[in-house]
Amino acid sequence: MERWVPGSGTAEQEALPGFRGTISQVPPMFSALKVNGQRLYKLAMEGQDVPRPAREVQVDELELLEFQPPHFTLRVRCGGGLYVRTLGHDLAQAVGTVGHVTSLRRIAVGEFREADCLTLEEALDPQKIATRLRRCSVPKRPKKRLLSATSVNRDAEAREPPPLPPLNGPP
């Protein structure tokens, strides 16, 4: 079978613009959303399929990276609330077939990037953790703190908290 080349004008490529920007998406039955006080996934496990209103979600970028029929690889940058598996299903339907997501890898959430993360091995090394933390910018302490009026202790509020122990060993 011939390998797909980006920009080759396939039906999958032509369908992508309809899935960019603000789109309407029906949440899947296997989700944590509640309908009438019950989680959808619990209803789904009981064999129920209940109507779910479509929700607006944001797809900032959607790119077809690879297509080797019947498999394709997408890159998606989106806002919160998007169900990527549902996006894959809907895209398959748009080109007249069925489909499901077989692999999903989240490479960023907000300001956190996979490339900046420690590996599992590195996360076991306190020195690597300390080195990584030193590179992070920590916001300065706010000048005013919000406190509950019932728990304000003026003496405690005036004191600075004790310094944190060093990261390279016990206190």
Side-chain angles (χ1 to χ4, degrees):
M1 196 166 274
E2 203 170 304
R3 189 174 174 95
W4 173 84
V5 177
S8 63
T10 64
E12 292 79 9
Q13 187 73 32
E14 292 168 7
L16 293 180
F19 291 92
R20 292 185 186 119
T22 301
I23 65 169
S24 183
Q25 187 181 64
V26 176
M29 276 301 299
F30 279 93
S31 66
L33 292 176
K34 288 184 178 181
V35 170
N36 296 328
Q38 290 198 294
R39 301 272 183 203
L40 286 174
Y41 70 86
K42 288 185 179 181
L43 297 171
M45 290 190 300
E46 293 171 359
Q48 296 182 46
D49 188 6
V50 298
R52 298 159 322 273
R55 300 159 48 138
E56 286 193 345
V57 291
Q58 184 67 31
V59 179
D60 299 312
E61 294 176 26
L62 178 60
E63 183 181 357
L64 183 58
L65 300 177
E66 183 178 5
F67 182 51
Q68 286 186 297
H71 303 281
F72 57 89
T73 302
L74 297 172
R75 181 179 166 277
V76 181
R77 189 170 64 86
C78 60
L82 178 89
Y83 291 93
V84 174
R85 288 178 177 86
T86 299
L87 178 67
H89 171 267
D90 294 346
L91 180 58
Q93 275 193 324
V95 296
T97 189
V98 295
H100 65 275
V101 174
T102 58
S103 175
L104 176 61
R105 182 174 178 175
R106 189 178 306 263
I107 60 172
V109 176
E111 65 186 79
F112 301 102
R113 307 274 178 256
E114 179 186 44
D116 299 328
C117 293
L118 295 173
T119 66
L120 289 175
E121 289 174 357
E122 290 171 329
L124 295 173
D125 181 349
Q127 193 59 43
K128 295 238 185 225
I129 295 171
T131 301
R132 183 62 55 93
L133 287 173
R134 285 188 196 99
R135 282 193 266 156
C136 296
S137 62
V138 179
K140 292 188 177 187
R141 190 176 195 170
K143 292 182 181 180
K144 291 186 177 182
R145 290 182 283 173
L146 297 176
L147 299 173
S148 168
T150 58
S151 65
V152 171
N153 178 333
R154 294 191 189 282
D155 293 334
E157 189 178 5
R159 288 191 307 251
E160 284 295 315
L164 294 173
L167 293 172
N168 58 358

